Amino acid sequence: MDAEKPPLEILLCAPRGFCAGVVRAIDAVEQALNLYGAPVYVRHEIVHNKYVVDALKRKGAVFVEELDEVPDTSAPVIFSAHGVPKSVPDAAAGRNLFAIDATCPLVTKVHREAQVHHKRGRHILLIGHRGHPEVVGTMGQLPDGAITLVESAEDARTLMPREPDNLAYVTQTTLSLDDTAEMVAILRARFPTMSEPHKEDICYATTNRQEAVKSVAPRVDAMVVVGAPNSSNSQRLREAAERAGCARAVLVQRAADLDWTVFGDISRLGITAGASAPEVLVEEIIDAFAVRYAVTVETVTSSHEDVFFPLPRALRPDAAE
């Protein structure tokens, strides 16, 4: 049978898939279910992946968009990895809810930076995407008007802050490295006294996954990014592949979403996965290609990751004793 199939070499990007913040957030929901039983309420998708969310629902997690959907309960209420505005934990405390914050520590770092700049009297420029939960959460750390959102190079060029000599910038953690570098360069040129993060805000996982894609994309005929359409880091991977020279770059959630007309005559395929996409979905995609092609798989590693974040304190093994 394989003799009749066209050969296909798959280059698997590494690192790919789950990052330490996503692992911590998913583990937080599972550990809350282990310690306290169902239901466990989760405000917003714990991570942007339908497969992960559906699996947690089957175990007893109840996902809500806002706290007012949570009944008066002693069950845990978990905040997603993307972070939340300050008003959310305040509202939870006002209702005596058992709130557990699963915000990624690297997002919390951005929140703290913004708070420090605000205390020092600086106006903050936040480079990010309007409406993304992480941006909503970061802007919600400070009073209205304390942060200005910068979404594009055009925004960076035309922004007219009230105190141009008293600025600081922070960024969403899941942005395009190239887009962000362009915006920062424009802002630096316009506002040379602007304060900068001590360490890059774009997280290690976003950076590493984009660099892996950039190394593979010029070598392949097509690239599949496994991830959700509402996942910022997954969308940026697709864009990075296109920019690096792969004209056929697609973002899919599952093998069933593959449009086979896109692939046709390819002989080499790149595959990666966003930071909230589980490896089982990568394997599903490879299996789908193996039905149609005689597949060989090679992993292309651009960096190694060993980052680990401990669970929120309320969920550590001794918490329920």
Side-chain angles (χ1 to χ4, degrees):
M1 177 72 180
D2 268 12
E4 299 161 23
K5 296 181 189 176
L8 179 65
E9 187 182 354
I10 292 178
L11 301 185
L12 207 48
C13 296
R16 66 182 174 278
F18 282 177
C19 62
V22 163
V23 170
R24 175 180 185 264
I26 295 168
D27 285 354
V29 179
E30 294 190 327
Q31 178 70 342
L33 286 162
N34 288 341
L35 289 176
Y36 303 104
V40 166
Y41 292 90
V42 186
R43 185 191 175 278
H44 191 69
E45 291 185 343
I46 188 72
V47 296
H48 284 157
N49 188 275
K50 185 177 186 302
Y51 180 93
V52 171
V53 168
D54 287 348
L56 292 171
K57 280 181 183 171
R58 287 193 295 273
K59 293 177 181 179
V62 177
F63 289 86
V64 299
E65 278 307 303
E66 297 298 342
L67 276 192
D68 57 18
E69 298 169 55
V70 177
D72 291 329
T73 178
S74 60
V77 181
I78 299 181
F79 305 147
S80 80
H82 312 97
V84 294
K86 267 193 165 162
S87 57
V88 173
D90 289 351
R95 291 180 55 195
N96 290 319
L97 294 173
F98 174 25
I100 297 170
D101 189 357
T103 301
C104 173
L106 299 178
V107 174
T108 301
K109 164 189 169 284
V110 176
H111 292 179
R112 289 192 181 130
E113 284 173 344
Q115 288 160 352
V116 167
H117 289 309
H118 182 65
K119 272 185 189 152
R120 292 177 180 166
R122 298 177 185 128
H123 185 75
I124 295 144
L125 307 178
L126 168 59
I127 299 174
H129 297 292
R130 186 178 306 280
H132 187 279
E134 186 186 323
V135 165
V136 172
T138 299
M139 294 187 80
Q141 299 305 305
L142 296 175
D144 285 351
I147 298 179
T148 298
L149 187 61
V150 180
E151 290 194 89
S152 65
E154 183 61 20
D155 284 355
R157 282 187 203 99
T158 57
L159 181 77
M160 298 299 288
R162 279 199 308 277
E163 295 182 69
D165 295 328
N166 197 23
L167 298 174
Y169 86 85
V170 296
T171 83
Q172 187 179 331
T173 62
T174 54
L175 297 178
S176 155
L177 300 173
D178 299 332
D179 286 350
T180 306
E182 180 188 12
M183 286 184 255
V184 169
I186 294 166
L187 291 170
R188 274 188 193 134
R190 292 189 62 206
F191 312 114
T193 61
M194 177 178 68
S195 295
E196 307 199 349
H198 294 302
K199 185 174 182 293
E200 182 72 70
D201 285 337
I202 295 178
C203 81
Y204 79 93
T206 297
T207 301
N208 292 348
R209 279 149 192 70
Q210 287 181 28
E211 295 296 351
V213 163
K214 287 179 189 176
S215 71
V216 166
R219 302 168 52 190
V220 296
D221 306 312
M223 175 77 75
V224 172
V225 179
V226 184
N230 62 337
S231 162
S232 174
N233 78 83
S234 301
Q235 289 285 7
R236 305 296 81 79
L237 291 175
R238 182 186 55 75
E239 293 168 3
E242 287 174 349
R243 285 186 184 170
C246 180
R248 287 184 275 185
V250 297
L251 174 63
V252 299
Q253 300 199 70
R254 302 288 303 260
D257 303 327
L258 289 164
D259 176 0
W260 294 103
T261 62
V262 171
F263 303 103
D265 57 351
I266 63 169
S267 61
R268 212 178 224 190
L269 173 72
I271 298 180
T272 188
S276 45
E279 185 65 11
V280 64
L281 299 186
V282 173
E283 292 165 6
E284 180 184 285
I285 299 280
I286 294 171
D287 289 346
F289 276 94
V291 171
R292 292 164 174 80
Y293 299 86
V295 163
T296 56
V297 180
E298 176 193 344
T299 298
V300 179
T301 304
S302 63
S303 60
H304 293 277
E305 293 178 351
D306 56 3
V307 179
F308 168 78
F309 296 133
L311 284 170
R313 189 164 278 108
L315 296 174
R316 293 178 198 168
D318 54 354
E321 289 172 11

